[in-house]
Amino acid sequence: MNRRHFIQLATLTSAGFALSGTCAFADWKVRRPVNIILPYKAGGGTDSYARAVASAGDGLFPVPFVVVNKPGSSGMVGATEAARGRPDGTTVLLTSAGSFLLTSMLRDTDVTPLESFRIVAQIGKLTTSLMVPYDSPYQSLDDLVADIKARPGQVRWAHTGNGGFHNVAGQGFLDSNDLDAVGVPFKGGSATRAAVIGEQVSFGMIGIQQAAGFEEQLRPLALNSDTRDTFMTDVPTFAEAGYDAVDVSSPIIVFAPKDTPDDVVAALEAALKEITSSQAFIDAMAERGNAPVYLPGAEAEANLRAMKENAGPIISALK
Amino acid sequence: MEIFAALASVLIDPIILMWVLAAAVVGMVVGAIPGLTASAAIAMLLPVTFYMQPLAALAFLYVIGKSGRYGGSIAAILFNTPGTAASAATQIDGYPLSRRGMSTKAMKVATLSSIIGDYVGEILLIAGVGIIAAIALKLGPPELFAVYFAAFVVIGSVIGKSITRGLASAALGVLIKMVGLDPISFEERFTFGSFDLTNGISLVPLMIGIFVLGEVFSQLEARGKPIAPVDAPDSEDTRAMNRLTWAEYKPCVPHVIRSSFIGSFIGMLPGLGSAIAAFVAYGEGKRRARNPQEWGKGALEGIAAPEAANNAVSGPSMAPLLTLGIPGSTIGAILVGVFLIHGIQVGPTLFLTQKELVYQLFACGLVGIAAYGLIGYFGASFVGRFILKIPTDVLYPVIFLTSFIAAYSARGNLFDVIVMVVAGFGGWLMKRYDFNPAAFVISFVLAGGAEETFRQSLLLSDHGVLIFVTRPVALAFLILGVVAVAARARTLGKQAKQASLNDA
């Protein structure tokens, strides 16, 4: 009797859970695991988002989320594979959408974020910032700008590779303030950070979360965003420091192949909303200095289109 | 001294010890299988470590890296196919020895040299992690380019019998490396409109193709011909021949010490790695040897030098990784991921927040070296003899299959399998027509970094190439390279003179 009672109770509670808020994805009958294609190596910044989604989303569907790393060609190998994937919701792409968009613009790739995919939802956002070595003579953005004006074309700055969102944001800042400095690409975030710390360059454009733990080696002077960072609250935005900048960031977006049906996309969107608001996901992100930024698919898509407009002139100048 | 406390805490923890021991065995076996590199094995085992305690996970992968670098020498000596790129230099002298039935002796020299090199590197790391990081940080693109330049030149001096064919092989390696995206401007080069080629040719499938599949094809060709017995029967004679005496190892000692420091130095420079260390050490060793004419024909010193160097890389390469987050090798790059997955931020504050963990990891390294050393010294010949007892009809098909799996599993990409097969035919042809596959692969490895740092330097410079002269460390390495060329030219001149005298 006790056992029967327990089972009844369990059925009731789980039904209750299903009714409260989870109904949007409860009727999606998925049989195979959901493969999250991640177009970078395991262990990188975007990878940690995918792993956090997979562990926080465990149990939402009868099948698990599986992270599949497909690195290569600045993220285009994985994106191409995901675009060709079965459009039934069991293949999705989780990527740094700013880099994906800008790479597709710079290289005219066959697969593009807006034409080859449907946007499910945004789950996070990477923001770039202008950093100088700790012992740098520049105490503020004003000092740096004055020096670049005094020595046009002689100040060197580091970024993570041509056409990346750090590069476009840095070039956007220089262009909109009529400044002339030479950009030097390094391979990825940690190499760029090391070049700035080692004073190989005068400043660098680096993701704000990369400064965590390097407070005695680096000083962020300005953040390329309209609001301040959740963790590094004392870094002013470019606007607060009194300079124009181009609004380029890299939202972390989950994409589904173009022909994925509406109800499946809606179910995934609802699941991602639930995952990003869960404590497990928030904690996993906070460990790396990131905060979840959930946006529904339609809003994320509008932002991405706006970024495409903003970056257009800078990209054509880089080509 | 934190290290002694850490060592004690590791030695009384049976679970950690078990993982270290498992890693020593796994790394050795994986390294010994031709075509399976230690970094490929670590990449494959990475998902397993997500569910382990941070120290166990890190120690497991770190020790696999060490014992894998050593295990590669087993395949190099026995099959003339390096188990890892780092042991490509070991095969130059290792294989001739094993053809003379002295494979066990060769493996003992490799084991001893690996252990000494590894301990030198690890102790330098523990003693000077802060200083190493400070030095590595001050070396920018111009200095790194100068090191690449010196490496190119030194490797040029160990290129095989025909200098023109060796140079042609090296040039081909550079050409193949150019396929893909330009590292600075992201223009496509030699891609012929193919999307797969935009990613360039990956090292792992290329290496497996050239060394492993190429060897299988050569064996296929040799079928029907009587096979020269590589292993003599297990008699009293062969046992005596394979015994290693102190008198034999003594001449190796200076080479081992010099190579350990070369390896340690190259290890602390980001992005160079153990293959380059091994070749530089081999080149330097040969240049300074009292018996350079024996090198390449089965000199024990020719095994000791590269083996000490490639293992010495392991420890110091952790310094820029732990303190700055710059990986010094592929294995290091994977380890960064492990730290991050366990929520540990790699960087200068690591030594404040996770000091205990870092020293425990170093302690696991020390224990791991002893573990693979003991297993290797007494077991490598057993493993080797076991592999040799397998009939070639069984062994080569298995290797053939493994190479396909290894090529696919590195990135899960079918294009890599095509690359491997094409490289396999390429490697077979190169061997057949006396081109030098090792020179090809090494210049392929060096070309990418050399181009990137060269072009970064030019962007950093106000006066073009003069940046290499105005930065003292860069200048020193360039001079070293030029001196090495001059010395090589002099010995070649002498040899030519002697040859003409002999003719007369």
Side-chain angles (χ1 to χ4, degrees), chain A residues 42-43 51 70-74 76-77 80 107 156 162 185-187 190 193-194 197-198 200 213-214 217 287-288, chain B residues 50 137-138 140 181 184 186 195 198-199 324-326 337 340 343 347-349 411-412 452 456 459-462 471:
Chain A
R51 306 257 166 224
K70 292 275 178 185
S73 199
S74 346
M76 292 310 296
V77 168
T80 307
R107 282 168 42 196
R156 261 66 183 191
N162 279 16
F186 286 83
K187 224 177 214 159
S190 55
R193 180 175 61 195
I197 298 175
Q200 304 296 334
F214 287 82
Q217 278 76 25
E287 269 177 9
R288 301 180 48 91
Chain B
F50 295 161
L137 198 55
K138 287 294 162 200
L181 296 176
I184 304 294
F186 279 73
F195 171 72
T198 58
N199 192 41
L324 306 167
I326 326 168
L340 294 178
T349 49
R411 277 199 309 153
E452 198 183 327
Q456 282 171 344
L459 283 172
L460 286 171
S461 167
D462 287 329
R471 310 253 291 219

Side-chain angles (χ1 to χ4, degrees), chain B residues 112-163:
Chain B
L112 281 178
S113 312
S114 292
I115 300 171
I116 299 172
D118 223 334
Y119 270 121
V120 169
E122 193 77 14
I123 289 165
L124 283 177
L125 168 73
I126 293 167
V129 65
I131 304 161
I132 295 174
I135 296 173
L137 198 55
K138 287 294 162 200
L139 301 178
E143 287 79 17
L144 289 180
F145 172 74
V147 174
Y148 277 113
F149 173 82
F152 253 121
V153 169
V154 173
I155 288 157
S157 71
V158 296
I159 284 173
K161 288 169 251 169
S162 158
I163 289 188

